[in-house]
């Protein structure tokens, strides 16, 4: 199960990604914003981050205008590795090297087609499990 969330800047792109996930038969829960009205991205970054940390969702997808604010919000939570990706290569590395557990996207940066391709790479790429990557990820969680 995936948790997906956005502010108003990511709302339209979120609808496109949800349709794409449905087509792929991937289960998700939309944690809001549930209508295209002005709202604050930290609220939805926090909701998706908490769902991932609680184990209610395996992975998360967050979308705001640029992907910046909402990824900053999610990354305030220890254990969250939220990667704001603008290319398929970034999505691949975010999983292989960083074992990112949330993908952030920019609704005013990417076309629907680009965002769906990036999402597919993110979902379909496994963590490399390399010893050096495990060590670096553990260091992330020891920073304060
Ligand atoms: C909202 O207008 C916009 O600031 C927000 O979606 C996001 O881009 C912030 O980083």
């Amino acid at each position: 199960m995936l948790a997906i969330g956005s502010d108003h800047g990511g709302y339209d792109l979120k609808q496109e990604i949800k349709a794409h996930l449905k087509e792929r038969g991937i289960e998700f829960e939309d944690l809001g914003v549930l209508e295209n009205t002005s709202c604050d991205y930290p609220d939805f970054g926090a909701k998706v981050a908490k769902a991932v940390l609680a184990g209610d969702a395996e992975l998360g997808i967050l979308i705001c205008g640029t992907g910046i604010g909402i990824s900053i919000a999610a990354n305030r939570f220890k254990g969250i590795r939220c990667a704001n990706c603008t290319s398929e290569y970034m999505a691949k590395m975010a999983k292989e090297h960083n074992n990112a557990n949330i993908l952030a996207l920019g609704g005013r940066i990417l076309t629907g087609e680009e965002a769906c391709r990036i999402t597919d790479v993110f979902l379909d790429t496994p963590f490399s499990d390399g010893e050096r990557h495990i060590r670096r990820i553990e260091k992330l969680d020891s920073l304060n």
Side-chain angles (χ1 to χ4, degrees), residues 7-10 39 41 63-70 108:
D7 71 353
H8 55 286
C39 60
Y41 58 79
I63 312 156
C64 66
T66 57
I68 296 172
I70 210 154
R108 297 173 184 154

Side-chain angles (χ1 to χ4, degrees), residues 2-22 28-37 39 44-45 47-48 60-65 70 103 105-108 110-112 115-116 119:
L2 301 180
I4 186 163
S6 76
D7 71 353
H8 55 286
Y11 182 85
D12 289 340
L13 184 59
K14 183 175 66 177
Q15 300 306 103
E16 292 193 55
I17 290 172
K18 281 161 55 179
H20 180 67
L21 293 174
K22 263 188 201 151
F28 62 84
E29 188 177 357
D30 185 351
L31 300 181
V33 64
L34 297 177
E35 52 186 37
N36 196 348
T37 50
C39 60
F44 300 97
K47 278 186 189 212
V48 168
I61 300 175
L62 282 170
I63 312 156
C64 66
I70 210 154
L103 169 67
L105 298 166
R108 297 173 184 154
L110 301 164
T111 64
C116 289
T119 299

